[in-house]
């Protein structure tokens, strides 16, 4: 279409609408050069600049641009909801979260949008912010067929499923996420670890920990693995996690966890439900403690 106009002698670089659309059609390329000049002339320019800021983690810029906009279309309500949710989570502001929830609800419950994909996503987002995950699952499940390759959808759906104990489906959804930045976030790693443990794959959860750099987050993941594995009866990996925790922090609770997990390994081996090599590993971990109970165990 642009070639036709150029061949007819039109100067397309001087046309505001075409310049705006070129940015949109090229995934935001050149957005900061073109869109700010058009914010007051092309109504969509403001919305698209907000979207650009959101995609580049410039929450405050997005908020400044949209805070005074009185929404009148579903797209404007949705965008105000997304910006308020992002800023609210970033700053820990209940007020922004509440505003986001209200914007999402207005769209999702409206007669014109309630049966559209964005409308259902809005209701899911509203319930997500309210922590009503059974309802989130109903709405996201209804649009799943259209969102199969969408990382944001799979992230939200996976975590919501896990929150309601549907760990098998949750694992499948989380493993569909492709974005490396998302996959590096502690929120993602910890929920995936919890799914693995609940689905009988503690080794996979342990490998998630081994890939992490040492930090508060890796310490938190160790605690999650130790306690979840213990609760699920995966005693070898519970013992491994408690063993590392005990070396990092001499809290007696970690020794008690390790002691219980090692005895759990022994019980599983005696019952024929674990390999004898597991017992060798457990013994090595028991010996790796200066507690006086070690000899008796």
């Amino acid at each position: 279409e642009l070639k036709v106009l150029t061949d007819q002698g039109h100067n397309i670089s001087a046309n505001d609408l075409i310049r705006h659309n070129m940015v949109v059609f090229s995934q935001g390329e050149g957005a900061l050069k073109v869109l700010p000049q058009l914010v007051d002339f092309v109504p969509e320019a403001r919305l698209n600049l907000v979207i650009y800021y959101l995609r580049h983690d410039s929450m405050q810029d997005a908020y400044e641009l949209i805070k005074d906009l009185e929404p009148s279309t579903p797209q404007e309500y949705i965008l105000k909801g997304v910006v308020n949710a992002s800023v609210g989570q970033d700053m820990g502001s209940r007020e922004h979260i509440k505003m986001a929830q209200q914007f999402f609800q207005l769209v999702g419950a409206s007669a014109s949008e309630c049966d559209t994909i964005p409308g259902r996503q809005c209701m899911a987002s509203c319930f997500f912010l309210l922590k009503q995950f059974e309802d989130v699952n109903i709405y996201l499940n209804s649009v799943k067929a259209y969102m199969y390759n969408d990382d944001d959808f799979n992230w939200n759906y996976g975590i919501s499923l896990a929150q309601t104990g549907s760990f098998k489906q949750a694992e499948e959804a989380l493993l569909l996420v492709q974005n490396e930045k998302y996959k590096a976030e502690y929120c993602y790693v910890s929920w995936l670890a919890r799914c693995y443990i609940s689905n009988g794959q503690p080794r996979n959860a342990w490998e998630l920990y081994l890939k992490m750099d040492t930090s508060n987050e890796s310490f938190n993941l160790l605690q999650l693995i130790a306690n979840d594995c213990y609760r699920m009866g995966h005693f070898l990996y519970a013992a491994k996690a408690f063993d590392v925790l005990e070396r990092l922090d001499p809290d007696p609770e970690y020794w008690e966890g390790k002691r219980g997990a090692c005895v759990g390994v022994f019980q599983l081996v005696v019952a024929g439900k674990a390999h004898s090599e597991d017992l060798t590993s457990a013994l090595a971990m028991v010996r790796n403690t200066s507690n006086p109970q070690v000899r008796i165990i």
Side-chain angles (χ1 to χ4, degrees):
E1 291 299 327
L2 292 177
K3 188 177 183 316
V4 171
L5 290 172
T6 310
D7 291 347
Q8 289 173 358
H10 293 285
N11 180 7
I12 58 173
S13 62
N15 184 301
D16 287 346
L17 192 57
I18 288 177
R19 285 167 66 225
H20 168 272
N21 287 358
M22 288 295 286
V23 168
V24 176
F25 294 145
S26 57
Q27 302 298 312
E29 195 180 316
L32 294 179
K33 208 160 63 181
V34 176
L35 299 183
Q37 306 160 11
L38 304 178
V39 160
D40 297 323
F41 308 108
V42 181
E44 289 87 349
R46 181 180 297 273
L47 305 183
N48 283 313
L49 188 52
V50 168
I51 291 169
Y52 176 86
Y53 283 141
L54 283 172
R55 285 187 175 154
H56 292 81
D57 293 329
S58 304
M59 303 300 172
Q60 210 48 50
D61 290 326
Y63 180 67
E64 291 301 323
L65 205 54
I66 207 169
K67 67 177 181 183
D68 297 324
L69 175 80
E70 282 301 326
S72 58
T73 66
Q75 288 79 9
E76 290 168 348
Y77 277 105
I78 291 170
L79 214 42
K80 280 207 86 156
V82 172
V83 172
N84 275 286
S86 303
V87 171
Q89 288 176 326
D90 216 31
M91 294 166 44
S93 161
R94 290 172 69 97
E95 187 187 338
H96 283 296
I97 296 286
K98 192 170 188 331
M99 282 171 67
Q101 176 234 311
Q102 288 167 344
F103 285 129
F104 289 139
Q105 193 165 7
L106 275 166
V107 178
S110 68
S112 62
E113 296 297 314
C114 64
D115 288 327
T116 66
I117 294 172
R120 292 187 176 193
Q121 284 182 286
C122 280
M123 282 314 287
S125 298
C126 169
F127 285 125
F128 204 112
L129 295 175
L130 289 168
K131 296 184 166 51
Q132 295 176 16
F133 295 103
E134 295 283 0
D135 294 313
V136 175
N137 293 343
I138 291 167
Y139 279 97
L140 290 185
N141 189 51
S142 73
V143 297
K144 184 170 73 168
Y146 306 96
M147 314 294 292
Y148 185 79
N149 290 321
D150 187 294
D151 279 348
D152 299 293
F153 173 85
N154 287 319
W155 164 290
N156 288 333
Y157 194 36
I159 287 175
S160 183
L161 286 164
Q163 285 274 15
T164 57
S166 303
F167 290 109
K168 192 83 192 93
Q169 287 173 278
E171 181 188 326
E172 288 167 10
L174 290 173
L175 289 176
L176 289 171
V177 173
Q178 298 297 309
N179 186 322
E180 291 302 326
K181 188 174 155 213
Y182 286 5
K183 287 159 80 170
E185 285 191 29
Y186 178 70
C187 182
Y188 176 88
V189 174
S190 58
W191 277 110
L192 184 57
R194 180 156 274 177
C195 290
Y196 280 147
I197 293 165
S198 296
N199 295 333
Q201 303 165 62
R203 179 196 288 272
N204 288 352
W206 184 247
E207 282 172 2
L208 287 176
Y209 160 71
L210 294 178
K211 287 178 192 164
M212 289 181 82
D213 295 327
T214 305
S215 64
N216 283 345
E217 290 180 348
S218 65
F219 188 80
N220 291 341
L221 187 65
L222 264 181
Q223 290 183 306
L224 184 151
I225 291 171
N227 290 298
D228 275 26
C229 281
Y230 198 106
R231 196 168 60 245
M232 295 297 296
H234 305 312
F235 292 119
L236 180 64
Y237 286 94
K240 282 174 183 272
F242 277 123
D243 183 48
V244 179
L245 285 166
E246 187 193 26
R247 278 182 273 152
L248 294 171
D249 178 1
D251 187 323
E253 203 175 277
Y254 297 140
W255 157 245
E256 287 162 18
K258 182 166 96 168
R259 178 186 66 189
C262 288
V263 172
V265 172
F266 175 67
Q267 287 180 320
L268 288 176
V269 172
V270 169
K273 292 179 180 174
H275 300 294
S276 53
E277 302 91 78
D278 293 356
L279 200 54
T280 313
S281 304
L283 265 172
M285 285 185 271
V286 173
R287 290 195 182 111
N288 187 27
T289 306
S290 57
N291 196 289
Q293 294 174 321
V294 167
R295 282 194 59 201
I296 304 161
I297 296 171

